[in-house]
Amino acid sequence: MSPRDDLLKSFDLATDDPFIICWRDLDAHAATDELERLDTWVVWLAGRYNLDHKVTPPCWSHHGALVEELSALRTLWEASYLEDAAPSSPLAFHRELDLALRRLREWTSRMGCSRTEHRPEAHAKQSFEPESPSKMV
């Protein structure tokens, strides 16, 4: 159970409402837990919508952009099917799904990963790197 779940439980609030995940703020343990939860949903999504490795490669969890996109998509999906969601919410999800699938396909293509091969990302260097204090003298 996450600290958020503990807090919500202490206030007797539901813990299964959609929750926006800020991956940057998670410690290693919380990130692992969230990735496992997200993986369950991604497996469902891929099966339900017949997505292949060109959209969600087996190594998707090793690519920040894919994790962020899939996490945001899951949050929207969860919100779209809440009891008090607007009747048009599922359609809004599918509109966003179409756009998200395009981005996922494009990112996966650029990464070069396949069904059987993971290609680690080369991290882009910042365009501006401040000089170290010793070089500024």
Side-chain angles (χ1 to χ4, degrees):
M1 187 173 287
S2 74
R4 173 188 174 268
D5 291 342
D6 290 337
L7 179 64
L8 292 174
K9 192 172 185 177
S10 71
F11 289 107
D12 204 24
L13 299 171
T15 58
D16 57 352
D17 283 345
F19 184 65
I20 298 169
I21 304 299
C22 181
W23 292 92
R24 179 195 65 199
D25 295 343
L26 299 180
D27 63 29
H29 179 71
T32 299
D33 289 347
E34 283 301 328
L35 273 174
E36 288 175 10
R37 194 169 82 87
L38 182 58
D39 182 63
T40 300
W41 186 81
V42 170
V43 168
W44 172 83
L45 180 77
R48 184 66 169 174
Y49 292 93
N50 198 27
L51 306 179
D52 65 15
H53 68 280
K54 294 176 184 174
V55 177
T56 54
C59 59
W60 66 265
S61 63
H62 296 281
H63 299 284
L66 301 183
V67 169
E68 295 284 350
E69 185 76 25
L70 290 164
S71 179
L73 197 57
R74 180 195 57 196
T75 299
L76 179 61
W77 178 82
E78 289 174 345
S80 296
Y81 291 95
L82 287 174
E83 196 172 301
D84 61 348
S88 60
S89 292
L91 286 175
F93 167 76
H94 285 96
R95 243 186 337 268
E96 295 301 321
L97 175 63
D98 181 55
L99 296 172
L101 293 178
R102 292 176 199 190
R103 287 189 298 269
L104 290 165
R105 193 172 285 109
E106 180 183 331
W107 287 331
T108 299
S109 174
R110 276 191 274 154
M111 290 171 195
C113 296
S114 70
R115 182 179 299 128
T116 59
E117 182 182 359
H118 168 61
R119 296 178 73 184
E121 296 177 61
H123 294 284
K125 293 182 179 180
Q126 292 180 339
S127 58
F128 170 75
E129 294 185 25
E131 292 183 346
S132 65
S134 63
K135 291 183 179 178
M136 296 172 79
V137 178

